[in-house]
Amino acid sequence: MFKIKKAEFLSADVKLFEIVAPEIAKRRQAGQFIILRLDEQGERIPLTIADSNPEQGTVTIIVQGIGKTTKSLNQKESGDSIMDVVGPLGKASHMEKFGTAVCIGGGVGSAIAYPTAVALKEAGNHVITINGARNKDLIILEEEMKQFSDESYITTDDGSYGHHGFVTDILQKLIDEKRELNFVLAIGPIPMMRAVAEATRPHNIQTVVSLNPIMIDGTGMCGGCRVLVDGDSKFACVDGPEFDGHKVDFTNLINRNRIYQGLEQESLKQHECQLLEQADKKEE
Amino acid sequence: MAEFPSKKERMQIKRHPMPEQDPQARNKNFEEVTCGYTAEMALEEAKRCLQCKIPTCIDGCPVSIKIDQFLELIVAEDLPGAMNKIKEDNFLPAICGRVCPQEKQCEQQCVLSKKGDSVAIGRLERFVADVSLEQAASTPSSTTSSTAKKSSGKRVAVVGSGPAGLACAADLIGAGHHVTVFEALHELGGVLVYGIPEFRLPKAIVKKEINGLAEAGVQFITNSVIGRTIGLDELFEEKGFNAAFLGTGAGLPNFMRIPGEEFGGVYSANEFLTRVNLMKSYQFPTYDSPIMDCKGATVAVIGGGNTAMDAVRVSKRMGAKRSMIVYRRSEAEMPARLEEIQHAKEEGVEFHNLTNPLCYLGDDKQQLTGMECIKMELGPPDDSGRRRPIPIEGSEFTTELDIVIVAIGNGSNPLLSQTNPEIETNKWGNIVVNPKTMATSREGVFAGGDIVTGGATVILAMGAGRTAAAAINDYLETK
Ligand SMILES: Cc1cc2nc3c(=O)[nH]c(=O)nc-3n(C[C@H](O)[C@H](O)[C@H](O)COP(=O)(O)OP(=O)(O)OC[C@H]3O[C@@H](n4cnc5c(N)ncnc54)[C@H](O)[C@@H]3O)c2cc1C
Ligand code: FES
């Protein structure tokens, strides 16, 4: 059992957790992830580690409630426990002084980009962050990003905050202004990562994306997490999760992530019905 | 007390068939296929043993179980004695009795097999072990702990809880060392729990063996990937271990690298079986992990080993309309246990031998719709001694499919070799060891099982774990 030390909502359905896992906290590096299982019936899902505190022995994850597992997780409070947590898994982000590095986070992807952005700054880069979301309420870690970034931008799809439009608008503007960009990291929804890679491709700017395929074990044992990179099959849990954005087959990733869409909705629906029943009982 | 009948009478007793669930019932449930011998059947079967002066059966056993002696003890109706005799060489008889390829090992060497049917050694091994496990359950104190020596004060880390790791841990705790087993997954047992299905190896048996070890004092830590959660160096430097055994298995599924393997609906056998066995997807949505719906589906499993048989029989049990094996050689070359091939056939699995996939076909969503295959014929023997399959030109054909499961073996897991390059590996990534001691190129680190041999068998992994335990014991004495 792994205890939750802190749990707080960052926006309507995005929640931050600090989980007590001293071994993971001690070793974890930017870019790595954990796999957790909530309870005996639970599935194993990967979540990127947003931060860690080796002294307190905690790791931080930031979770968007989308499916049954993430929604159930987001109902947990501090003091509750998670049955299984394993990590840190995957390769750490490659870190060096590139020059100017742009870190782009879409939605909850900002949380995942955050530790790498900090590490890039510590490696001596000029760091530009672009933080995008559907609307103002969904922008997370704005202050944190601002604090260490040399330049930071906010975009919202509906224009309720910052630039009205997509993260790629800002990126394109920087490119058009002939700024010398040496490295781009993009983490977020797959269409966003693909758009970023397409924007940087003509200019040959090194672009890294962090992929989120379906996983089970996270140790290279099942091959469920395989992604096509440069036409070659790679296991994201041991070869990734970060890959060269110009070489990733995003269409295949989207299609593979949809394999269980129907079943997942069924599971979620059942879960929500149970919650309603429970709520009804409480009221009675 | 019973005795052996005369030799002539013995030769007249027929090999006793294994009681089994009806094929048409069992291909819809996950309960164990074989029911085990009754005491009477076991006694009769054991009496068939000719008690050869030179028991060739023992040469066929990878760990040289004293087969003639344990059969003699069954006939003398001394089952605890028989169990102790088996346990001298085999730490996991209830498991090996079920999953060893006996027809290629002990039973192949039995002199009776030359004239007819060999003694059913595997079934008798299982019988003795099952009786013993049942009795152990009614008498709580474990047998292992009573034999444990006084503590040596030395600490050994065992990495991986498959048969290699468990056997190694058992011998080391028996020798009085502190033993901690680290397992990457949330459940203990390795392939025994995530790979081999319930209907062939009930998980309760694996649990009992593990509980026995825990009672004897072995510490088990799940959710711990050595090389990631804790480094190998840290085990020695920070956690105070004096030696380590690596039993990390062959966990990297091979694919054929043909077009379409990235489609939805194409699984590795490891993924398919892990979803079902470990994550209990067959009980979705009670359990959260989904699996593609097999009901009414057409499922093809590529390969001819035990893994392929397990996967294809699972698909049948999950309601597939057609479940088929697609294998590039002929049945004679299949590496699977004979019994599993027979069981699969009885359960309605189709066999398409001498057939090899060329590519998978999919729709605009990259969801599998079929595959293109080619017919094969057998040429001269290859490196493995089996006749090499050669494609027959012009014999290509396509077939419609919903699910493909690729079961063509596993490569070695790269996790530890990525983080610890000082441990020497061969070109396939298998750890190189001294075969007598299982010592690796790093002092104090030993290895055994599939990570050394590549995908092999439970009994070989177990044997390697025990060889390593003996060497670790010697090593610790010099420290
Ligand atoms: C589906 C299937 C059916 C089979 N059927 C048969 C059969 O009928 N008969 C037979 O004899 N053999 C069979 N085999 C083969 C047999 O199961 C293996 O040879 C045997 O289990 C190998 O044992 P092992 O201890 O070396 O490794 P494994 O059983 O693979 O166990 C290794 C364990 O180590 C863990 N691990 C890996 N890396 C790390 C790490 N870095 N840190 C911590 N833990 C780690 C893994 O999670 C795993 O639990 C079958 C195999 C499969 C896949
Ligand atoms: S999650 Fe199973 S191999 Fe990557």
Side-chain angles (χ1 to χ4, degrees), chain B residues 437-455:
Chain B
T437 61
M438 313 310 281
T440 68
S441 55
R442 177 170 172 165
E443 198 201 320
V445 178
F446 299 73
D450 282 2
I451 186 63
V452 169
T453 54

Side-chain angles (χ1 to χ4, degrees), chain A residues 1-210:
Chain A
M1 282 292 186
F2 293 78
K3 227 183 180 82
I4 297 172
K5 191 157 174 202
K6 180 173 160 192
E8 74 181 16
F9 277 104
L10 299 183
S11 72
D13 51 19
V14 175
K15 200 165 183 177
L16 175 148
F17 294 95
E18 283 178 23
I19 302 169
V20 180
E23 299 289 0
I24 305 175
K26 201 161 87 189
R27 281 183 70 86
R28 146 292 151 171
Q29 290 169 279
Q32 291 186 302
F33 62 95
I34 56 164
I35 285 187
L36 61 75
R37 188 175 77 128
L38 291 183
D39 50 40
E40 197 51 51
Q41 282 76 35
E43 61 182 335
R44 293 171 64 101
I45 61 157
L47 291 163
T48 303
I49 304 170
D51 202 356
S52 66
N53 184 332
E55 285 78 46
Q56 293 196 18
T58 56
V59 293
T60 305
I61 52 169
I62 296 179
V63 185
Q64 182 167 26
I66 300 173
K68 177 181 172 191
T69 303
T70 46
K71 286 199 170 169
S72 317
L73 178 56
N74 282 0
Q75 282 166 356
K76 298 217 180 255
E77 297 299 340
S78 79
D80 290 345
S81 302
I82 296 169
M83 191 156 198
D84 298 295
V85 177
V86 61
L89 300 169
K91 288 189 177 157
S93 307
H94 172 71
M95 229 13 94
E96 65 175 69
K97 188 169 173 193
F98 297 98
T100 299
V102 186
C103 294
I104 305 176
V108 73
S110 310
I112 302 168
Y114 174 68
T116 310
V118 174
L120 281 166
K121 178 72 197 170
E122 282 165 359
N125 290 285
H126 178 91
V127 174
I128 304 174
T129 51
I130 309 174
N131 200 344
R134 283 203 313 277
N135 59 49
K136 181 170 194 259
D137 292 340
L138 298 177
I139 293 285
I140 54 174
L141 298 182
E142 182 188 358
E143 274 315 304
E144 288 84 344
M145 290 280 197
K146 236 189 206 150
Q147 252 171 34
F148 72 85
S149 306
D150 296 291
E151 297 167 48
S152 66
Y153 300 88
I154 301 281
T155 70
T156 50
D157 298 1
D158 67 353
S160 50
Y161 193 50
H163 167 78
H164 184 168
F166 299 128
V167 288
T168 39
D169 300 345
I170 304 283
L171 177 65
Q172 194 59 51
K173 195 172 125 256
L174 295 172
I175 293 173
D176 293 345
E177 286 168 358
K178 303 264 181 304
R179 292 282 300 268
E180 191 182 322
L181 308 179
N182 309 94
F183 178 83
V184 172
L185 170 77
I187 307 180
I190 301 170
M192 182 210 95
M193 292 193 284
R194 171 153 59 188
V196 168
E198 287 318 316
T200 57
R201 191 193 300 276
H203 309 278
N204 258 328
I205 305 168
Q206 184 183 349
T207 301
V208 166
V209 293
S210 175

